[in-house]
Amino acid sequence: MGKKRNWSWSSALVGAASAVAATAIISAKPKDPTFHLISIKFTSFKLKPPVVDAELILTVHVTNPNVAPIHYSSTAMSIFYDGSLLGSARVDAGSQQPRSCQVLRLPARLDGLKLAHHGSRFISDVAKREMVLDASVDIGGFAKVLWWNHKFKVHVDSHLTVDPVFLDVLDQENTSQLELFLT
């Protein structure tokens, strides 16, 4: 027959604490945020030769899948067409709660003269109603975990196909890469 074992509260507490710590570590592992362009809205067209500017509002859905709130500084997103810098969108400083989503409205300005350098390609894109744009941005900030602030940087690359006539987003591929600085 078996030996009778005594119940140990200290062993049970150590086991429970280990399980809680393992669960916390697994769920607290930093995850890359997600970005999704919802819409593009044309706000103005400025024609003052030789300057031709278009102003837009980019509506972006951002998800913070992490267990810590984040605070980020202002930055600019670069927008490219056919490999050339076409314009930029302003990202204002802000914050986002843990495991939450929010919608950002980013004012953007595109340089019409730079677009004119790709005139034949642009006319072709308008005719087929598909225009490919690329965008990239580096967002820096900090995540507050307990009483420590951990600096981070997120690099986002977007490859977008839009309808240049109605500015509908036809397709997109967004990748983000989170770098966490522990010092």
Side-chain angles (χ1 to χ4, degrees):
M1 285 215 268
K3 231 179 179 183
K4 187 175 182 182
R5 294 186 187 229
N6 291 335
W7 176 258
S8 170
W9 279 103
S10 61
S11 294
L13 287 174
V14 167
S18 298
V20 167
T23 302
I25 288 170
I26 290 169
S27 68
K29 180 183 172 208
K31 299 169 190 77
D32 291 344
T34 59
F35 300 84
H36 184 80
L37 180 63
I38 298 171
S39 67
I40 303 170
K41 181 181 176 188
F42 188 74
T43 56
S44 74
F45 184 76
K46 296 180 181 175
L47 178 61
K48 295 179 185 173
V51 177
V52 180
D53 285 337
E55 293 182 357
L56 310 163
I57 298 291
L58 307 176
T59 305
V60 179
H61 182 263
V62 182
T63 302
N64 175 13
N66 296 295
V67 296
I70 60 168
H71 304 276
Y72 52 90
S73 58
S74 61
T75 188
M77 174 191 303
S78 299
I79 302 169
F80 300 92
Y81 176 66
D82 198 24
S84 298
L85 181 65
L86 181 61
S88 63
R90 189 178 75 240
V91 180
D92 291 329
S95 63
Q96 187 164 347
Q97 294 302 311
R99 294 189 173 147
S100 67
C101 301
Q102 72 181 25
V103 175
L104 301 177
R105 286 174 177 62
L106 311 177
R109 174 172 282 163
L110 303 180
D111 186 335
L113 288 179
K114 290 181 181 177
L115 186 61
H117 292 292
H118 304 279
S120 61
R121 169 103 187 242
F122 179 67
I123 291 169
S124 171
D125 287 349
V126 169
K128 67 181 179 182
R129 297 198 43 198
E130 281 190 7
M131 180 178 184
V132 176
L133 298 170
D134 293 298
S136 68
V137 65
D138 289 311
I139 303 170
F142 66 89
K144 187 161 183 116
V145 180
L146 298 176
W147 48 86
W148 290 295
N149 290 334
H150 296 282
K151 290 184 179 182
F152 70 86
K153 181 176 90 173
V154 175
H155 177 78
V156 182
D157 285 315
S158 298
H159 183 76
L160 309 161
T161 304
V162 299
D163 178 343
V165 176
F166 293 112
L167 298 178
D168 293 330
V169 180
L170 304 174
D171 189 28
Q172 64 184 296
E173 183 180 329
N174 301 299
T175 57
S176 62
Q177 186 173 9
L178 174 68
E179 185 178 356
L180 188 62
F181 304 102
L182 298 176
T183 58

